[in-house]
Amino acid sequence: MGEKMSAWLTKAKPFLAIISLQFGFSGMYIVTSLGLKTGMSHYILATYRHVFATIVIAPFALVLERKIRPKMTLPIFLRIMVLGFLEPVFDQNLYYVGLQYTSATFASASINVLPAITFIMAICFRLESVDFKKFHSVAKLIGTAITVSGAMVMTLYKGPILEFLRFGNHAQHATTSAAANDQHWALGTLLLLLSCCGWSAFFILQSFTLKKYPAELSLTAWICLMGTLQNGVLSFIMERDMSVWKLGFDNRLLAAAYSGVVCSGIAYYVQSVVIKTRGPVFVTTFSPLCMIITAFLGGLILAEDIRLGSVIGAVVIVTGLYTVVWGKSKDVKPEPFDDDQKLTGALQELPVVEVRTIEGPASVVNIGHQGKNLYTNN
Protein backbone atom coordinates (compact mmCIF):
# COMPACT_ATOMS: atom_id res chain seq x y z
CA MET A 1 0.00 0.00 0.00
CA GLY A 2 2.83 2.37 0.90
CA GLU A 3 4.68 1.63 -2.34
CA LYS A 4 1.53 2.28 -4.40
CA MET A 5 0.96 5.60 -2.62
CA SER A 6 4.58 6.60 -3.19
CA ALA A 7 4.34 5.73 -6.87
CA TRP A 8 1.10 7.69 -7.18
CA LEU A 9 2.64 10.76 -5.53
CA THR A 10 5.63 10.56 -7.87
CA LYS A 11 3.36 10.58 -10.91
CA ALA A 12 1.16 13.31 -9.44
CA LYS A 13 3.99 15.74 -8.57
CA PRO A 14 4.15 17.43 -12.01
CA PHE A 15 0.37 17.85 -12.05
CA LEU A 16 0.20 19.26 -8.53
CA ALA A 17 3.14 21.61 -9.16
CA ILE A 18 1.73 23.15 -12.34
CA ILE A 19 -1.81 23.39 -10.95
CA SER A 20 -0.44 25.18 -7.88
CA LEU A 21 1.31 27.66 -10.18
CA GLN A 22 -2.03 28.52 -11.79
CA PHE A 23 -3.30 29.73 -8.41
CA GLY A 24 -0.15 31.82 -8.11
CA PHE A 25 -0.61 33.31 -11.58
CA SER A 26 -4.26 34.08 -10.82
CA GLY A 27 -3.22 36.07 -7.76
CA MET A 28 -0.66 37.88 -9.91
CA TYR A 29 -3.35 39.00 -12.37
CA ILE A 30 -5.30 40.54 -9.51
CA VAL A 31 -2.45 42.30 -7.67
CA THR A 32 -0.76 43.61 -10.83
CA SER A 33 -4.08 44.93 -12.08
CA LEU A 34 -4.46 46.84 -8.81
CA GLY A 35 -0.86 48.09 -9.01
CA LEU A 36 -1.16 49.32 -12.60
CA LYS A 37 -4.43 51.10 -11.80
CA THR A 38 -2.59 53.19 -9.21
CA GLY A 39 -0.40 54.58 -12.00
CA MET A 40 2.63 52.31 -11.70
CA SER A 41 4.73 52.11 -14.88
CA HIS A 42 4.77 48.63 -16.39
CA TYR A 43 8.48 49.05 -17.18
CA ILE A 44 9.22 49.71 -13.52
CA LEU A 45 6.98 46.85 -12.42
CA ALA A 46 8.78 44.38 -14.71
CA THR A 47 12.17 45.59 -13.41
CA TYR A 48 11.30 45.41 -9.70
CA ARG A 49 9.62 42.08 -10.25
CA HIS A 50 12.89 40.47 -11.29
CA VAL A 51 14.87 42.32 -8.65
CA PHE A 52 12.77 40.57 -6.00
CA ALA A 53 13.01 37.25 -7.86
CA THR A 54 16.82 37.46 -8.12
CA ILE A 55 17.21 38.32 -4.43
CA VAL A 56 15.11 35.32 -3.38
CA ILE A 57 16.39 32.66 -5.81
CA ALA A 58 20.12 33.50 -6.08
CA PRO A 59 21.10 32.41 -2.52
CA PHE A 60 19.42 29.02 -2.96
CA ALA A 61 21.18 28.54 -6.31
CA LEU A 62 24.58 29.44 -4.87
CA VAL A 63 24.28 27.06 -1.91
CA LEU A 64 22.27 24.10 -3.19
CA GLU A 65 23.86 23.78 -6.62
CA ARG A 66 27.45 24.74 -5.88
CA LYS A 67 28.67 21.17 -6.59
CA ILE A 68 26.49 20.33 -9.58
CA ARG A 69 26.43 23.65 -11.42
CA PRO A 70 27.79 23.18 -14.97
CA LYS A 71 30.51 25.42 -16.35
CA MET A 72 29.20 28.59 -17.96
CA THR A 73 30.08 28.85 -21.65
CA LEU A 74 29.46 31.61 -24.18
CA PRO A 75 26.69 29.73 -26.09
CA ILE A 76 24.86 29.00 -22.83
CA PHE A 77 25.25 32.60 -21.67
CA LEU A 78 23.84 33.89 -24.97
CA ARG A 79 20.85 31.58 -24.59
CA ILE A 80 20.27 32.87 -21.07
CA MET A 81 20.37 36.46 -22.35
CA VAL A 82 17.71 35.60 -24.93
CA LEU A 83 15.64 33.88 -22.23
CA GLY A 84 15.99 37.02 -20.10
CA PHE A 85 14.54 39.03 -22.98
CA LEU A 86 11.74 36.75 -24.19
CA GLU A 87 9.77 36.41 -20.95
CA PRO A 88 10.94 39.11 -18.50
CA VAL A 89 11.09 41.92 -21.09
CA PHE A 90 9.09 41.09 -24.22
CA ASP A 91 6.30 38.99 -22.74
CA GLN A 92 5.73 40.83 -19.49
CA ASN A 93 5.79 44.39 -20.83
CA LEU A 94 3.37 43.54 -23.64
CA TYR A 95 1.18 41.69 -21.17
CA TYR A 96 1.08 44.60 -18.72
CA VAL A 97 0.05 47.04 -21.46
CA GLY A 98 -2.60 44.60 -22.68
CA LEU A 99 -3.83 44.22 -19.11
CA GLN A 100 -4.18 47.99 -18.80
CA TYR A 101 -6.17 48.13 -22.04
CA THR A 102 -8.51 45.26 -21.11
CA SER A 103 -9.12 43.64 -17.71
CA ALA A 104 -7.69 40.97 -15.43
CA THR A 105 -10.26 38.37 -16.46
CA PHE A 106 -9.83 39.05 -20.18
CA ALA A 107 -6.03 39.00 -19.89
CA SER A 108 -6.12 35.63 -18.15
CA ALA A 109 -8.53 34.37 -20.84
CA SER A 110 -6.09 35.33 -23.60
CA ILE A 111 -3.43 33.08 -22.05
CA ASN A 112 -5.52 30.10 -23.16
CA VAL A 113 -3.94 30.26 -26.61
CA LEU A 114 -0.59 29.52 -24.95
CA PRO A 115 -0.90 25.68 -25.10
CA ALA A 116 -1.80 25.80 -28.80
CA ILE A 117 1.08 28.14 -29.71
CA THR A 118 3.56 26.14 -27.63
CA PHE A 119 2.33 22.85 -29.11
CA ILE A 120 2.80 24.17 -32.66
CA MET A 121 6.29 25.50 -31.83
CA ALA A 122 7.21 22.21 -30.14
CA ILE A 123 6.23 20.29 -33.27
CA CYS A 124 8.32 22.66 -35.43
CA PHE A 125 11.37 22.11 -33.19
CA ARG A 126 10.70 18.36 -32.88
CA LEU A 127 10.07 18.48 -29.16
CA GLU A 128 6.64 16.96 -29.76
CA SER A 129 5.51 14.48 -32.37
CA VAL A 130 2.11 13.62 -33.75
CA ASP A 131 1.47 10.12 -35.05
CA PHE A 132 -1.90 10.13 -36.76
CA LYS A 133 -2.00 6.34 -36.55
CA LYS A 134 -2.15 6.49 -32.75
CA PHE A 135 -5.32 7.69 -31.10
CA HIS A 136 -3.64 9.20 -28.02
CA SER A 137 -1.38 11.27 -30.26
CA VAL A 138 -4.34 12.65 -32.21
CA ALA A 139 -6.09 13.28 -28.89
CA LYS A 140 -3.45 15.92 -28.09
CA LEU A 141 -4.44 17.86 -31.21
CA ILE A 142 -8.14 17.43 -30.51
CA GLY A 143 -7.71 18.47 -26.88
CA THR A 144 -5.76 21.58 -27.90
CA ALA A 145 -8.53 22.58 -30.31
CA ILE A 146 -11.20 21.99 -27.65
CA THR A 147 -9.24 24.05 -25.11
CA VAL A 148 -8.90 26.99 -27.47
CA SER A 149 -12.60 26.68 -28.40
CA GLY A 150 -13.57 26.86 -24.75
CA ALA A 151 -11.43 29.96 -24.33
CA MET A 152 -13.13 31.59 -27.30
CA VAL A 153 -16.55 30.78 -25.84
CA MET A 154 -15.55 32.33 -22.54
CA THR A 155 -14.20 35.41 -24.31
CA LEU A 156 -16.83 36.02 -27.02
CA TYR A 157 -20.03 34.82 -25.36
CA LYS A 158 -20.93 36.61 -22.14
CA GLY A 159 -24.46 35.43 -21.46
CA PRO A 160 -26.59 36.42 -18.48
CA ILE A 161 -25.11 37.20 -15.08
CA LEU A 162 -25.29 34.32 -12.63
CA GLU A 163 -26.84 35.96 -9.60
CA PHE A 164 -26.07 33.11 -7.20
CA LEU A 165 -22.33 33.58 -7.88
CA ARG A 166 -22.29 37.28 -7.11
CA PHE A 167 -19.79 38.53 -4.56
CA GLY A 168 -18.65 41.91 -3.29
CA ASN A 169 -19.74 45.44 -4.14
CA HIS A 170 -21.10 45.33 -7.68
CA ALA A 171 -22.18 48.96 -7.64
CA GLN A 172 -18.50 49.90 -7.58
CA HIS A 173 -17.77 47.34 -10.30
CA ALA A 174 -20.34 48.91 -12.60
CA THR A 175 -18.29 52.10 -12.59
CA THR A 176 -15.02 50.30 -13.35
CA SER A 177 -16.65 48.28 -16.15
CA ALA A 178 -17.92 51.45 -17.81
CA ALA A 179 -14.43 52.90 -17.68
CA ALA A 180 -12.92 49.70 -19.06
CA ASN A 181 -15.21 49.80 -22.11
CA ASP A 182 -13.55 53.05 -23.20
CA GLN A 183 -10.13 51.43 -23.40
CA HIS A 184 -8.44 50.06 -26.50
CA TRP A 185 -9.61 46.47 -26.37
CA ALA A 186 -8.49 45.57 -29.90
CA LEU A 187 -4.93 46.80 -29.31
CA GLY A 188 -4.87 45.21 -25.88
CA THR A 189 -5.95 41.86 -27.34
CA LEU A 190 -3.20 42.03 -29.99
CA LEU A 191 -0.56 42.82 -27.38
CA LEU A 192 -1.72 39.95 -25.18
CA LEU A 193 -1.49 37.52 -28.10
CA LEU A 194 2.03 38.74 -28.92
CA SER A 195 3.01 38.25 -25.28
CA CYS A 196 1.79 34.64 -25.51
CA CYS A 197 4.07 34.10 -28.52
CA GLY A 198 7.01 35.40 -26.51
CA TRP A 199 6.10 33.19 -23.57
CA SER A 200 5.84 30.10 -25.79
CA ALA A 201 9.22 30.83 -27.36
CA PHE A 202 10.62 31.15 -23.82
CA PHE A 203 9.40 27.65 -22.92
CA ILE A 204 10.89 26.15 -26.09
CA LEU A 205 14.29 27.79 -25.61
CA GLN A 206 14.24 26.91 -21.91
CA SER A 207 13.76 23.26 -22.84
CA PHE A 208 16.84 23.32 -25.09
CA THR A 209 18.91 25.25 -22.55
CA LEU A 210 18.20 22.78 -19.75
CA LYS A 211 19.85 20.05 -21.80
CA LYS A 212 23.11 22.03 -21.85
CA TYR A 213 22.76 23.62 -18.40
CA PRO A 214 20.83 21.15 -16.19
CA ALA A 215 20.82 23.27 -13.02
CA GLU A 216 17.30 24.58 -12.54
CA LEU A 217 17.91 26.98 -9.66
CA SER A 218 21.02 28.48 -11.23
CA LEU A 219 19.28 28.88 -14.57
CA THR A 220 16.36 30.58 -12.84
CA ALA A 221 18.69 32.98 -11.04
CA TRP A 222 20.51 33.81 -14.27
CA ILE A 223 17.24 34.47 -16.13
CA CYS A 224 15.97 36.74 -13.35
CA LEU A 225 19.29 38.62 -13.27
CA MET A 226 19.31 39.11 -17.04
CA GLY A 227 15.69 40.18 -16.89
CA THR A 228 16.55 42.74 -14.21
CA LEU A 229 19.42 44.23 -16.23
CA GLN A 230 17.58 44.35 -19.54
CA ASN A 231 14.38 45.72 -18.00
CA GLY A 232 16.45 48.27 -16.09
CA VAL A 233 18.06 49.58 -19.27
CA LEU A 234 14.68 49.72 -21.01
CA SER A 235 13.11 51.50 -18.03
CA PHE A 236 15.82 54.19 -17.94
CA ILE A 237 15.25 54.80 -21.65
CA MET A 238 11.45 54.91 -21.50
CA GLU A 239 10.97 56.57 -18.08
CA ARG A 240 12.92 59.82 -17.63
CA ASP A 241 11.14 60.79 -14.41
CA MET A 242 13.08 59.26 -11.53
CA SER A 243 10.10 59.56 -9.17
CA VAL A 244 8.47 56.54 -10.85
CA TRP A 245 11.05 54.31 -9.16
CA LYS A 246 9.70 55.05 -5.70
CA LEU A 247 7.92 52.25 -3.87
CA GLY A 248 5.78 52.55 -0.77
CA PHE A 249 3.88 50.09 1.38
CA ASP A 250 1.00 49.93 -1.09
CA ASN A 251 -0.30 47.97 -4.08
CA ARG A 252 2.84 48.77 -6.08
CA LEU A 253 5.12 47.04 -3.62
CA LEU A 254 2.71 44.12 -3.32
CA ALA A 255 2.51 43.73 -7.11
CA ALA A 256 6.31 43.77 -7.55
CA ALA A 257 7.11 41.47 -4.62
CA TYR A 258 4.34 38.94 -5.22
CA SER A 259 4.83 38.66 -8.98
CA GLY A 260 8.61 38.54 -8.56
CA VAL A 261 8.81 35.85 -5.88
CA VAL A 262 5.87 33.67 -6.95
CA CYS A 263 5.50 34.18 -10.70
CA SER A 264 9.13 34.67 -11.69
CA GLY A 265 11.38 33.04 -9.10
CA ILE A 266 9.31 30.05 -8.02
CA ALA A 267 7.51 29.68 -11.36
CA TYR A 268 10.70 29.64 -13.47
CA TYR A 269 12.20 26.95 -11.22
CA VAL A 270 9.09 24.74 -11.09
CA GLN A 271 8.60 25.04 -14.83
CA SER A 272 12.23 24.08 -15.43
CA VAL A 273 11.90 20.94 -13.32
CA VAL A 274 8.66 19.87 -15.02
CA ILE A 275 9.94 20.71 -18.51
CA LYS A 276 12.89 18.33 -18.01
CA THR A 277 10.56 15.41 -17.35
CA ARG A 278 7.37 16.28 -19.23
CA GLY A 279 8.28 18.84 -21.88
CA PRO A 280 7.11 22.44 -22.52
CA VAL A 281 3.66 21.51 -23.84
CA PHE A 282 2.72 19.83 -20.56
CA VAL A 283 3.57 23.02 -18.64
CA THR A 284 1.37 25.23 -20.81
CA THR A 285 -1.52 22.77 -20.96
CA PHE A 286 -2.72 23.83 -17.52
CA SER A 287 -2.80 27.56 -18.35
CA PRO A 288 -6.57 27.54 -19.02
CA LEU A 289 -7.17 26.67 -15.36
CA CYS A 290 -5.75 30.08 -14.50
CA MET A 291 -8.62 31.77 -16.33
CA ILE A 292 -11.21 29.86 -14.33
CA ILE A 293 -9.50 30.68 -11.03
CA THR A 294 -9.09 34.33 -12.01
CA ALA A 295 -12.76 34.62 -12.97
CA PHE A 296 -13.82 33.51 -9.49
CA LEU A 297 -11.15 35.59 -7.74
CA GLY A 298 -12.19 38.56 -9.83
CA GLY A 299 -15.76 38.07 -8.67
CA LEU A 300 -14.67 37.74 -5.05
CA ILE A 301 -11.98 40.46 -4.81
CA LEU A 302 -12.68 42.85 -7.70
CA ALA A 303 -16.46 42.28 -7.62
CA GLU A 304 -16.54 41.25 -11.28
CA ASP A 305 -19.67 39.58 -12.60
CA ILE A 306 -19.57 35.87 -13.42
CA ARG A 307 -21.62 35.12 -16.51
CA LEU A 308 -23.02 31.99 -18.09
CA GLY A 309 -20.51 32.17 -20.94
CA SER A 310 -17.65 31.96 -18.46
CA VAL A 311 -19.08 28.81 -16.87
CA ILE A 312 -19.76 27.11 -20.24
CA GLY A 313 -16.28 28.01 -21.46
CA ALA A 314 -14.75 26.66 -18.26
CA VAL A 315 -16.47 23.29 -18.74
CA VAL A 316 -15.25 23.07 -22.34
CA ILE A 317 -11.72 24.03 -21.29
CA VAL A 318 -11.59 21.35 -18.61
CA THR A 319 -12.77 18.79 -21.19
CA GLY A 320 -10.03 19.78 -23.62
CA LEU A 321 -7.48 19.92 -20.82
CA TYR A 322 -8.30 16.37 -19.72
CA THR A 323 -8.02 15.17 -23.34
CA VAL A 324 -4.54 16.65 -23.77
CA VAL A 325 -3.32 15.36 -20.40
CA TRP A 326 -4.59 11.89 -21.26
CA GLY A 327 -2.73 11.98 -24.57
CA LYS A 328 0.44 13.22 -22.88
CA SER A 329 0.22 10.51 -20.22
CA LYS A 330 0.35 7.86 -22.95
CA ASP A 331 3.56 9.42 -24.26
CA VAL A 332 5.37 8.77 -20.96
CA LYS A 333 7.15 5.47 -21.41
CA PRO A 334 7.97 3.29 -18.39
CA GLU A 335 11.56 2.41 -17.77
CA PRO A 336 12.26 -0.71 -19.83
CA PHE A 337 13.59 -3.93 -18.37
CA ASP A 338 15.18 -5.23 -21.52
CA ASP A 339 16.89 -8.46 -22.42
CA ASP A 340 20.33 -7.02 -21.67
CA GLN A 341 19.32 -6.39 -18.06
CA LYS A 342 17.96 -9.94 -17.79
CA LEU A 343 21.16 -11.32 -19.29
CA THR A 344 23.27 -9.27 -16.87
CA GLY A 345 21.30 -10.59 -13.93
CA ALA A 346 21.62 -14.15 -15.19
CA LEU A 347 25.37 -13.84 -15.65
CA GLN A 348 25.74 -12.64 -12.10
CA GLU A 349 24.20 -15.91 -10.91
CA LEU A 350 26.58 -18.14 -12.89
CA PRO A 351 29.42 -19.85 -10.95
CA VAL A 352 33.00 -18.76 -11.39
CA VAL A 353 34.85 -20.93 -13.87
CA GLU A 354 38.57 -21.45 -13.45
CA VAL A 355 40.59 -23.22 -16.12
CA ARG A 356 43.84 -24.91 -15.17
CA THR A 357 46.27 -26.77 -17.39
CA ILE A 358 48.38 -29.62 -16.02
CA GLU A 359 51.13 -31.63 -17.54
CA GLY A 360 49.93 -34.70 -19.27
CA PRO A 361 47.29 -35.65 -21.74
CA ALA A 362 44.37 -33.98 -19.98
CA SER A 363 43.13 -30.54 -18.83
CA VAL A 364 41.23 -29.97 -15.65
CA VAL A 365 38.31 -27.58 -15.61
CA ASN A 366 37.39 -26.70 -12.04
CA ILE A 367 33.85 -25.31 -11.80
CA GLY A 368 33.76 -22.99 -8.75
CA HIS A 369 31.56 -23.87 -5.84
CA GLN A 370 30.14 -27.02 -7.42
CA GLY A 371 33.47 -28.71 -6.83
CA LYS A 372 33.35 -30.84 -9.97
CA ASN A 373 36.40 -31.60 -12.11
CA LEU A 374 36.00 -32.33 -15.80
CA TYR A 375 38.82 -33.87 -17.78
CA THR A 376 39.23 -33.22 -21.47
CA ASN A 377 41.81 -34.56 -23.83
CA ASN A 378 44.37 -32.16 -25.29
Side-chain angles (χ1 to χ4, degrees):
M1 183 65 181
E3 294 181 356
K4 291 183 179 180
M5 180 62 67
S6 178
W8 182 86
L9 288 176
T10 301
K11 293 181 180 180
K13 280 181 180 179
F15 296 90
L16 297 176
I18 299 301
I19 291 174
S20 299
L21 282 185
Q22 304 315 311
F23 285 91
F25 284 131
S26 299
M28 185 267 293
Y29 293 134
I30 302 300
V31 298
T32 54
S33 179
L34 294 173
L36 292 172
K37 286 180 180 179
T38 60
M40 187 178 190
S41 169
H42 61 87
Y43 299 110
I44 305 301
L45 175 57
T47 303
Y48 276 131
R49 169 175 173 168
H50 290 91
V51 169
F52 280 103
T54 305
I55 293 174
V56 171
I57 294 297
F60 290 97
L62 291 172
V63 174
L64 299 179
E65 293 183 342
R66 64 184 184 277
K67 295 182 179 180
I68 63 172
R69 188 182 303 110
K71 182 180 179 181
M72 179 61 66
T73 61
L74 181 59
I76 294 176
F77 182 75
L78 293 177
R79 288 188 181 189
I80 291 175
M81 287 195 65
V82 177
L83 287 171
F85 171 78
L86 285 174
E87 211 283 325
V89 180
F90 184 81
D91 168 42
Q92 290 183 20
N93 281 289
L94 290 181
Y95 165 78
Y96 288 148
V97 178
L99 176 63
Q100 286 179 303
Y101 286 168
T102 55
S103 67
T105 303
F106 187 87
S108 63
S110 67
I111 304 300
N112 292 294
V113 300
L114 187 65
I117 297 174
T118 307
F119 186 66
I120 294 172
M121 286 187 177
I123 292 177
C124 294
F125 288 97
R126 297 182 179 181
L127 293 175
E128 287 284 338
S129 60
V130 178
D131 187 355
F132 290 97
K133 296 180 181 180
K134 297 181 179 179
F135 179 74
H136 74 270
S137 187
V138 178
K140 294 187 292 185
L141 286 176
I142 297 175
T144 301
I146 294 175
T147 300
V148 175
S149 300
M152 294 302 101
V153 170
M154 196 171 184
T155 303
L156 300 177
Y157 174 66
K158 292 185 177 180
I161 298 173
L162 300 179
E163 299 290 341
F164 64 92
L165 293 178
R166 279 198 163 197
F167 305 97
N169 186 0
H170 286 264
Q172 180 182 359
H173 173 66
T175 304
T176 59
S177 297
N181 290 331
D182 296 332
Q183 295 176 350
H184 308 288
W185 282 76
L187 178 59
T189 303
L190 177 62
L191 294 176
L192 290 171
L193 292 177
L194 289 175
S195 72
C196 289
C197 294
W199 202 358
S200 296
F202 172 82
F203 284 129
I204 299 299
L205 182 57
Q206 188 181 27
S207 178
F208 284 112
T209 306
L210 283 168
K211 296 178 182 179
K212 301 291 184 180
Y213 196 80
E216 295 86 356
L217 280 172
S218 299
L219 180 61
T220 299
W222 274 111
I223 293 174
C224 293
L225 179 60
M226 292 298 104
T228 300
L229 297 177
Q230 294 180 51
N231 268 311
V233 173
L234 181 62
S235 298
F236 278 114
I237 294 174
M238 302 303 296
E239 300 289 348
R240 302 300 178 88
D241 186 5
M242 299 302 294
S243 63
V244 298
W245 291 89
K246 295 180 180 179
L247 288 179
F249 290 95
D250 52 12
N251 291 331
R252 299 185 182 190
L253 178 61
L254 176 62
Y258 178 90
S259 60
V261 175
V262 176
C263 301
S264 286
I266 296 177
Y268 290 167
Y269 171 71
V270 172
Q271 289 165 354
S272 297
V273 174
V274 177
I275 282 176
K276 285 183 66 175
T277 58
R278 294 288 185 140
V281 176
F282 181 87
V283 174
T284 60
T285 301
F286 291 85
S287 299
L289 289 178
C290 184
M291 176 183 60
I292 302 173
I293 300 168
T294 305
F296 284 97
L297 287 179
L300 181 63
I301 299 174
L302 301 179
E304 295 180 345
D305 293 324
I306 298 178
R307 296 177 175 270
L308 179 62
S310 299
V311 176
I312 295 176
V315 173
V316 176
I317 286 170
V318 171
T319 303
L321 177 64
Y322 175 79
T323 305
V324 176
V325 171
W326 179 83
K328 287 290 296 178
S329 66
K330 298 299 180 180
D331 287 340
V332 179
K333 298 179 181 180
E335 295 183 0
F337 184 73
D338 53 20
D339 294 336
D340 292 338
Q341 290 176 318
K342 295 179 180 178
L343 180 60
T344 302
L347 289 176
Q348 291 176 349
E349 297 177 357
L350 289 178
V352 178
V353 177
E354 183 182 0
V355 179
R356 297 177 183 175
T357 303
I358 62 175
E359 296 180 358
S363 297
V364 179
V365 181
N366 184 18
I367 303 180
H369 62 274
Q370 293 180 352
K372 295 181 180 179
N373 295 331
L374 300 179
Y375 294 88
T376 57
N377 295 326
N378 287 332

